[in-house]
Amino acid sequence: MGMLAAVLGIFAGLLLAAPAVHATTAPPPASESPAPESSTEATAQDSGSSGDEVTDGAEYQDRISGVLRNEGSPVAGVTIKASGNGYEAETETAENGSWSIGVPEQGAFEVELDESTLPEGVALAEGQQNPRTVTFAGTSNITTLFLLGEGIVLQGDTFGTKLVERAVAGLSFGLLLALSAVGLSLIFGTTGLTNFAHGEMVTFGAVLAFGFSALGLPLWLALILAVVGGAGLGYVQDAGLWKPLRKRGTGLVPMMIVSIGLALALRYTILFFFGGATQQLPDSQSPMLELGPVSISRNNLVSLAVSLVVILIVAALLLRTRIGKATRAVADNPPLAAASGIDVDRVIRIVWMAGGALAALGGILWAYYRPGVSFNMGQQILLLIFASVTLGGLGTVFGALIGSIIVGLFVEISTLWLEADLKYVGALLIMILVLLVRPQGILGRRERIG
């Protein structure tokens, strides 16, 4: 209990210190991302203000932003307006061409560039939609770009190009899901526990990364410490809660209910200290990279590479090392593994630490993918993690990987036909359909019941 109190004390200190320190962080350079706040004020009207009050919605966390450039040079002083749901606001582009408008709630908003404020000789590219409608979908920040240049004709992407781009984005999303799903599958395989607090382990990693970076640590060190902190949370959970319950012979259903209570306790503890606002990790807005016909953000490309490397390392450890073979033995038959001399409790402890570390890393990558860190971000993808594990086969690590990639691909590719708000529904639907045909999952084994 002393260890648990010490860990909670350190965590609370980080959360209390983080927002104040983070507020002093210098904004990213113009070449990488739009400024998070507008540099000028402009007239707007919202439901709670007087008709002539100037606002750009700076007090709101949900934001619509972009950057305006002409032939590679920033364009300043151009008016951008946003309206919707009874709310109106406007701003001007800053010296680096960036602009940002806050909105009081998520939904659909109409964004318009005032062409009369463009510099002489500069015009919107032909084919640009102005005004245009943008819709929030599982993120606190939407980027929309107005292309400028006389004589430039905007050419729409072909279906094949869009399909490839969505497939690459889906692979990136699926691999970051796989990090959390593999950890959850390892825990289920060795203990039989369906851990509903796994989403909070995802959140914990992102919050720790934000806290350490807000304290002024280099980003690479903050991310490493966050992953180590995730492993520490897994250790504390098993040592302080799950091992005592196992020793008392507590059934899996009561333990599952305990995990639901733990999830709620962790979620609202984070809310109490961290707050309900969405915060951004350093470099959360990254430039787009052109890889042949495919456009992908730098963060998504890095996320894809990191996820793939980590998953390959985990697979190698499970297949080639003694602890990996012991883990597979415990997952297959714990009593037989114990009879053969394997320390089952030690293996389970290591699995909890590995699961916590993988969940924390998945949370960090999810914070960059959304982008943003919030107290309930893990809860938002918990069902997708469960879907990945169930689709691939409960308790099978490689099944969790395959299931995650399928879910990630379907989520992103489905946006070619479905509304963005329905993409998660489609992923859960495909899981149901597959399980109707193969109840044990893709790599799961048939078992006789009764």
Side-chain angles (χ1 to χ4, degrees), residues 1 49 57 79 89 98 113 129 188 196 208 323 361 365 372 406 416:
M1 293 302 293
S49 62
T79 300
S98 64
L113 182 148
Q129 188 177 5
F188 178 86
F196 279 84
L208 278 187
I323 188 61
L361 180 58
L365 297 181
I406 292 174
L416 294 174

Side-chain angles (χ1 to χ4, degrees), residues 149-404:
E150 283 191 337
I152 295 179
V153 178
L154 183 67
Q155 296 181 349
D157 292 333
T158 64
F159 178 80
T161 300
K162 292 180 180 178
L163 180 61
V164 172
E165 288 186 352
R166 290 296 86 206
V168 172
L171 183 61
S172 176
F173 182 50
L175 287 174
L176 77 84
L177 269 182
L179 291 174
S180 301
V182 165
L184 181 64
S185 186
L186 282 170
I187 293 170
F188 178 86
T190 53
T191 66
L193 172 65
T194 303
N195 182 25
F196 279 84
H198 203 75
E200 276 53 56
M201 296 171 73
V202 171
T203 304
F204 188 76
V207 170
L208 278 187
F210 171 79
F212 285 125
S213 64
L215 291 176
L217 296 179
L219 180 59
W220 64 269
L221 181 58
L223 300 186
I224 291 175
L225 290 176
V227 174
V228 173
L233 178 63
Y235 178 90
V236 171
Q237 277 194 61
D238 185 58
L241 182 60
W242 304 118
K243 183 178 179 180
L245 289 177
R246 289 196 304 271
K247 293 297 184 183
R248 294 183 181 184
T250 306
L252 291 177
V253 172
M255 290 177 70
M256 181 185 69
I257 295 173
V258 170
S259 76
I260 296 174
L262 178 62
L264 293 173
L266 288 175
R267 186 181 312 153
Y268 290 105
T269 298
I270 293 174
L271 172 63
F272 180 79
F273 289 106
F274 182 76
T278 299
Q279 306 287 352
Q280 300 295 330
L281 291 175
D283 299 326
S284 58
Q285 298 293 333
S286 64
M288 298 297 294
L289 303 177
E290 302 292 336
L291 303 178
V294 178
S295 297
I296 183 173
S297 71
R298 185 185 62 192
N299 284 346
N300 283 356
L301 185 61
V302 171
S303 172
L304 191 155
V306 170
S307 301
L308 184 59
V309 169
V310 171
I311 288 171
L312 290 176
I313 292 174
V314 171
L317 291 174
L318 286 173
L319 295 174
R320 302 291 184 180
T321 64
R322 292 182 61 185
I323 188 61
K325 294 175 182 178
T327 299
R328 289 187 287 130
V330 172
D332 187 63
N333 193 323
L336 182 59
S340 64
I342 296 175
D343 188 342
V344 174
D345 283 334
R346 177 173 175 269
V347 170
I348 292 176
R349 183 69 50 80
I350 292 173
V351 164
W352 270 100
M353 294 176 64
L358 290 172
L361 180 58
I364 293 169
L365 297 181
W366 175 230
Y368 278 109
Y369 188 88
R370 299 177 66 223
V373 181
S374 64
F375 79 98
N376 63 345
M377 57 182 292
Q379 178 195 10
Q380 294 173 358
I381 61 169
L382 182 62
L383 283 180
L384 292 181
I385 295 172
F386 278 134
S388 302
V389 173
T390 306
L391 182 60
L394 289 171
T396 61
V397 172
F398 296 104
L401 171 60
I402 293 174
S404 298

Side-chain angles (χ1 to χ4, degrees), residues 52-98:
D52 56 354
E53 185 177 350
V54 175
T55 181
D56 61 1
E59 68 273 22
Y60 300 123
Q61 293 296 324
D62 296 318
R63 309 195 67 79
I64 306 170
S65 57
V67 63
L68 205 62
R69 291 191 177 94
N70 180 47
E71 297 181 350
S73 301
V75 179
V78 177
T79 300
I80 309 289
K81 303 176 182 179
S83 60
N85 302 325
Y87 171 80
E88 295 181 1
E90 69 178 49
T91 188
E92 290 183 0
T93 55
E95 291 298 324
N96 60 10
S98 64

